[in-house]
Amino acid sequence: MNKRLFLILLPALLSATGCKQQKASETKGTITEVEAHQPLPPQYTAHYDKSVTPGRIDIEKALADSVPVNLSKVASSIEYFMVGDDKYPITDVVATNEGFIALNQPKLYLYRKGMKRKRVGLKTTYGNWINVPGSKISFDTVTTRLYAHLKRINQETGYGEEYIAELPPLDSVLARVYYLYPDSLPNRYFFPPKSSLIRYLSPDKYATQKENKDGIDEGITLFHLNGDTICTFTAGIDPTTQRGQYLFQPPFFDKIYRHGDQITFRLSFCDTIYRIRDEQTYYPAYVTDFGKLRLTAIENIQGKDRKNKAWMTALEENAKALFVRTYKEGKSTQSGWLDANREPDMPSEERQIVYLKSSGQTFALPVKTQGLTNDLDGGLPFWPDGQTSGYLYMIRPAKELKTKIKLTGSSKQKELKAFLDSVDEKQNVMIVVK
């Protein structure tokens, strides 16, 4: 079989034989066929550790008040990076041994403190990248290899295929004169067809969400990169009912991420944030208490009145705190177009909630502060857009920093002042704390 014919037939072979890995010579770039691997069924039965007492995040009580929180409560260092303009916005960030790799989709760049950014030479288009919540890239600090969650069109079926592309060690990629292309990468791991979204978590694991009989997510299933099923972990979600023609609305919010070496997940209509300790054991890490503000699954699915109800819309975490964004539905007695300009009785509001792990306290930040008070260097208020390996980051326009930050001459603003003096107003800035 010649090389061209093999490449044409390869998607069909993958579909027929299960999850398959392609290997190629890194020096010659030739693709060789590897024995097909038929994914194995679950290796473990989940064990739920009930002996763990979860931390209680009292959202109902916190929302009744407003308390400013200093950034120094949750971080001790802060760094700034110029990360390009809005033409290629950042959609994902991973920490490396010496900085951060950001996906300025579709381009990859390495950002290091005090150095110009360096292109990581994987040549892709915007459409090559998978468009799902969660991580699109992962970095192995031991092998220094970057992994990318990509997709392609199967020329035989016309359907999209998802896969993980493994790049060579970072130093060799940075030293290249010519780009790498997805089809020429040495190792590519193709996912078997799944009925649920694939969440890529690390160089060796991914997850899908498991639905109950009513079509509502009730847990997650972990897989090895070769497609072998590890275990399914079930969450304690509300009782549900059939969705019918129901359109998904904001109360549906799921989050799957890594905290340290433990996979953590939170599903819609479940008060608990779970951690997976090993390949079969999980436990309740935190419980979010919305009290009387809580919106149940059936209330939402059946389209009940959501006035004065609140729900989670975002979740991030570092070593010292959890950061929760909530939305509370307002109340209005407007009866029609004649009342269109009348103020609602109680406007809807978004709030930022901080849970401090050391004290177990939960605080709702004042709306006007727009984040944690930056007492590290007097810069912008901070609220995370994302997390990676214990770091939190947010992206803001450089112009916002220049117009809103007041320089006082303080010694703790020395680095910030030098950065502002050199920054291009047309650029965006990534602010990283730990």
Side-chain angles (χ1 to χ4, degrees):
M1 182 185 298
N2 63 38
K3 178 179 175 182
R4 182 177 180 184
L5 181 58
F6 173 73
L7 288 174
I8 293 173
L9 294 177
L10 185 56
L13 292 171
L14 286 170
S15 176
T17 58
C19 187
K20 186 168 186 174
Q21 177 184 355
Q22 283 186 341
K23 283 190 172 289
S25 165
E26 291 192 20
T27 56
K28 297 181 179 180
T30 57
I31 298 176
T32 57
E33 186 173 359
V34 181
E35 182 180 352
H37 175 76
Q38 186 65 34
L40 298 176
Q43 297 172 280
Y44 301 97
T45 299
H47 169 67
Y48 184 57
D49 186 352
K50 298 180 180 179
S51 68
V52 176
T53 301
R56 181 168 173 265
I57 304 175
D58 195 339
I59 291 177
E60 181 185 35
K61 182 179 179 181
L63 287 175
D65 198 4
S66 295
V67 179
V69 177
N70 285 339
L71 182 56
S72 61
K73 289 282 189 181
V74 303
S76 58
S77 66
I78 186 166
E79 294 180 306
Y80 296 84
F81 301 87
M82 281 192 290
V83 291
D85 56 28
D86 289 335
K87 183 177 181 181
Y88 301 109
I90 287 181
T91 57
D92 200 8
V93 177
V94 293
T96 70
N97 299 332
E98 53 181 332
F100 302 90
I101 292 177
L103 174 58
N104 293 70
Q105 196 162 330
K107 301 179 180 182
L108 291 163
Y109 288 98
L110 173 64
Y111 294 95
R112 293 168 287 190
K113 188 175 181 179
M115 302 175 66
K116 290 185 178 180
R117 69 179 183 178
K118 177 75 172 178
R119 180 79 181 266
V120 179
L122 178 64
K123 187 72 170 179
T124 59
T125 65
Y126 195 93
N128 286 140
W129 293 90
I130 197 69
N131 185 26
V132 296
S135 300
K136 296 179 178 66
I137 51 177
S138 182
F139 186 79
D140 189 324
T141 57
V142 177
T143 66
T144 72
R145 290 177 181 268
L146 183 72
Y147 296 79
H149 188 178
L150 304 174
K151 63 181 179 180
R152 71 174 188 182
I153 299 298
N154 184 317
Q155 298 302 320
E156 294 290 319
T157 65
Y159 292 105
E161 293 180 322
E162 296 183 42
Y163 64 96
I164 299 298
E166 178 186 296
L167 275 67
L170 184 58
D171 284 346
S172 67
V173 176
L174 296 176
R176 290 182 63 90
V177 176
Y178 301 104
Y179 287 119
L180 290 165
Y181 290 84
D183 288 343
S184 68
L185 289 172
N187 298 318
R188 289 184 291 166
Y189 303 86
F190 285 83
F191 294 130
K194 300 289 180 184
S195 59
S196 181
L197 293 177
I198 292 173
R199 306 293 186 92
Y200 182 46
L201 298 168
S202 69
D204 64 338
K205 289 185 180 68
Y206 67 93
T208 64
Q209 289 167 222
K210 176 183 176 294
E211 293 184 349
N212 66 8
K213 61 180 177 59
D214 294 322
I216 306 297
D217 293 325
E218 66 171 1
I220 69 170
T221 301
L222 286 187
F223 298 85
H224 287 301
L225 203 55
N226 66 0
D228 290 347
T229 308
I230 300 172
C231 191
T232 295
F233 302 91
T234 303
I237 69 170
D238 290 348
T240 60
T241 185
Q242 286 285 345
R243 289 182 309 202
Q245 298 301 314
Y246 175 78
L247 297 177
F248 287 80
Q249 295 188 25
F252 283 86
F253 171 73
D254 306 315
K255 181 81 172 186
I256 307 173
Y257 62 97
R258 294 187 72 91
H259 179 70
D261 61 352
Q262 295 188 344
I263 294 169
T264 303
F265 69 97
R266 182 267 180 195
L267 300 180
S268 302
F269 312 122
C270 180
D271 295 327
T272 305
I273 299 170
Y274 299 93
R275 290 217 208 281
I276 300 175
R277 182 181 297 136
D278 54 42
E279 294 191 327
Q280 67 178 134
T281 308
Y282 69 124
Y283 63 94
Y286 300 98
V287 170
T288 53
D289 185 356
F290 280 85
K292 294 180 181 179
L293 301 175
R294 189 175 187 275
L295 179 70
T296 68
I298 291 179
E299 285 174 334
N300 184 59
I301 293 167
Q302 294 183 341
K304 302 293 185 181
D305 189 357
R306 298 187 299 181
K307 294 175 183 176
N308 207 33
K309 296 291 185 179
W311 53 87
M312 186 185 300
T313 60
L315 171 65
E316 306 295 345
E317 181 179 3
N318 74 350
K320 295 184 178 181
L322 280 86
F323 307 86
V324 176
R325 188 184 291 274
T326 64
Y327 177 87
K328 184 180 177 183
E329 187 85 347
K331 181 179 179 181
S332 175
T333 54
Q334 295 178 10
S335 59
W337 66 270
L338 290 174
D339 293 328
N341 296 321
R342 206 185 83 188
E343 289 293 322
D345 303 313
M346 184 178 68
S348 300
E349 63 177 10
E350 288 187 282
R351 298 294 299 274
Q352 297 166 329
I353 311 288
V354 179
Y355 172 81
L356 300 178
K357 296 180 181 180
S358 60
S359 63
Q361 293 175 292
T362 309
F363 301 104
L365 305 182
V367 175
K368 64 180 181 180
T369 64
Q370 299 182 328
L372 298 153
T373 303
N374 186 347
D375 60 331
L376 293 181
D377 65 2
L380 290 180
F382 184 90
W383 188 258
D385 293 324
Q387 63 187 41
T388 173
S389 301
Y391 294 92
L392 300 170
Y393 63 88
M394 73 174 189
I395 314 293
R396 293 294 183 271
K399 189 173 183 179
E400 182 179 342
L401 275 71
K402 286 206 164 190
T403 57
K404 292 185 176 181
I405 293 177
K406 295 181 180 180
L407 296 175
T408 63
S410 169
S411 58
K412 66 181 182 181
Q413 288 190 322
K414 182 178 179 181
E415 288 191 19
L416 174 57
K417 182 181 184 303
F419 179 82
L420 292 177
D421 287 342
S422 63
V423 72
D424 180 351
E425 285 193 5
K426 296 179 181 179
Q427 298 281 301
N428 289 319
V429 176
M430 180 170 70
I431 306 169
V432 182
V433 303
K434 188 174 185 180

